[in-house]
Amino acid sequence: MDQALLTFHNQLPERVDVFYTSDYCHKCLYQPLVSVKAGNNNVSAVISTKFTLTVQVKSQARNATLCRWSQTYGESGHYSVWIHLEDHPNSTTCTHTVDSSPSNAYLPLVVAALLLALIALLFVVAPNIYRRQCTATFIKTICCRGAQYSVDSEEAHAREAEANNAKPTHLRSLDTFRGFAMTVLVFVNYGGGGYWFFQHAPWNGLTVADLVMPWFVFIIGASVVLAFRSMQRKGVGRLQLLRKFTWRTVVLLMLGFCFLNYSPRDGPLSWSWLRIPGVLQRLGFTYFVLCLMQTFWGQKEIPLRGPRWWSPVQDVVLYWPEWLFVILLETVWLCITFLMPVPNCPTGYLGAGGIGDNGLYPNCTGGAAGYIDRWIFGDNMYRYPTCREMYHTTQPFDPEGVLGTINSIVMGFMGMQAGKVIIFYRGKNVHILCRFLVWAVVLGISAAILSKCTRDGGFIPVNKNLWSLSYVVCMGCFSFLLLGGMYFVMDIKGWWGGQPFIYPGMNSIFVYVGHSLLGFYFPFSWEMRVQDSHWERLFQGLWGTSLWVLIAYLLYRKKFFLKI
């Protein structure tokens, strides 16, 4: 899977060496692939098909590059490269042939997408057919003998209404957004069918897996504002709020430290396996800071007096202390990232190290962010960063490190702005959608400027490992667009109830902890017979994800919601 066979046929009277590099690897050194002896010899090598490869053939005797090409090879394909002389005695050419055609790696994904679309269509059409009077009458006459099962039963309607309003204080769009993010997270953690774009980017750039974490942080920010508004109306005091969100923070931290940090495969419990940073630790700390901001600076009533010059931006102006705090935080991130000296590394370095950047900074993975984490946590951090395979790095790097937490708070603050927009313009749906659109445009333009619309060439590249500023504003843009679209479809038009995503969205902690602890046991997963096929991997990922959505639905029907 994600591999092809490349055979080199050397018809030259001299030995040649073949080197390669991935075009996704920024300024990476060429790595040796094979050496082919002279005189009609051939050597085969297995190559990766995830990204475009640049291959060059060099003559050891002449110390010259004979040919170079870039190509994306197909999965399971067999290719040959014939290295031979042309009519001119000093002219060498490399001729490519396809010995065995590659398989269609994306066919399983297309089939799965069509099946899911068909199922979604059935779920949309079936209720409409069921509601038709003739169908309802037929079902009532033939199948439903008891009054308690009648489609016209007031008790049945009451039960349905009660189930649909299990959590009336929450926006359906927000719960659905959370559930959609959770569903994608579970699918990605089950391997995403083995496709590279369902895995985290090696360093710079964005994949589907990189979208999930910021969505959760954004949702936390919006939920904090809406929840605090509700508690404020109930007369909950500041001290009680402090106790409440402090307890939730402690629980999240303990879940991250104790339950999701250890596997029996690691052997006896010891300090050596402990990873201090983590996903729930990052979410818990971000939640705590956002709650502090909302407690001390965010609980202000909307002025009832006439319009002023700042009325169009009152949801920003009224909370200027929060803005000042966030600007100071971002200034700290920028100063540390670009001005802090790191031993044996250039100041302001944002690269992956290893063989990247022409191999000049092999031990500088993550620049200042990586240096701070290694200094604070030592070996108790993530040891297998996403850049390790491609960039051949040796240093540990944790994507949930200290410096990135600053921008996580900034991401949550954007979610708080979404919550404030919903509160300030309640009942004015056009204003809410316009504000969301304005935020998305401003953040999108900012991301385009910072990254120069490139993967590696911007002022600040989009990078999930570093939680770079361009990554945060880019994800803020996506979050406002997605939440705005769901708000329009569900809370304004009522075209969609959020099923099935709303169910894991209302039990997100249960689903996250459950799939982390039990996700690699039967029936959620199993030992695959065909390791090099996307078919079984994709089926396993969809099966496991569907089971957790089903469990969340059953809990929803039982009105069980895990709260902390």
Side-chain angles (χ1 to χ4, degrees), residues 18-41:
V18 183
F19 300 86
Y20 78 100
T21 185
S22 172
D23 286 5
Y24 209 98
C25 193
H26 183 55
K27 296 182 179 179
C28 283
L29 297 174
Y30 279 90
Q31 299 300 298
L33 185 60
V34 294
S35 293
V36 191
K37 296 180 180 179
N40 290 322
N41 280 289

Side-chain angles (χ1 to χ4, degrees), residues 431-474:
H431 287 75
I432 292 176
L433 294 176
C434 288
R435 296 290 288 186
F436 281 0
L437 182 60
V438 169
W439 271 109
V441 170
V442 171
L443 294 173
I445 292 175
S446 301
I449 293 174
L450 290 173
S451 65
K452 296 184 180 179
C453 296
T454 62
R455 187 179 65 237
D456 301 303
F459 301 108
I460 304 178
V462 175
N463 189 299
K464 190 267 179 187
N465 285 281
L466 297 172
W467 275 69
S468 62
L469 179 57
S470 57
Y471 172 71
V472 169
V473 294
C474 177

Side-chain angles (χ1 to χ4, degrees), residues 167-175 178 223 226-227 491 502 505-506 563:
K167 290 187 75 177
T169 58
H170 283 191
L171 290 172
R172 297 190 73 86
S173 55
L174 197 60
D175 285 327
R178 186 188 299 109
S223 300
L226 297 176
D491 295 310
I502 195 170
M506 299 178 73
K563 298 180 180 180

Side-chain angles (χ1 to χ4, degrees), residues 167 170-184 186 216 219 223 486 497-512 548-553 555-556 560-563:
K167 290 187 75 177
H170 283 191
L171 290 172
R172 297 190 73 86
S173 55
L174 197 60
D175 285 327
T176 303
F177 190 5
R178 186 188 299 109
F180 176 71
M182 178 57 64
T183 304
V184 175
V186 174
F216 276 113
I219 294 166
S223 300
M486 290 185 175
Q499 296 84 0
F501 302 117
I502 195 170
Y503 307 125
M506 299 178 73
N507 251 321
S508 56
I509 292 295
F510 181 90
V511 174
Y512 181 78
W548 285 110
V549 173
L550 177 61
I551 291 172
Y553 169 71
L555 294 177
Y556 175 85
F560 175 84
F561 305 103
L562 181 61
K563 298 180 180 180

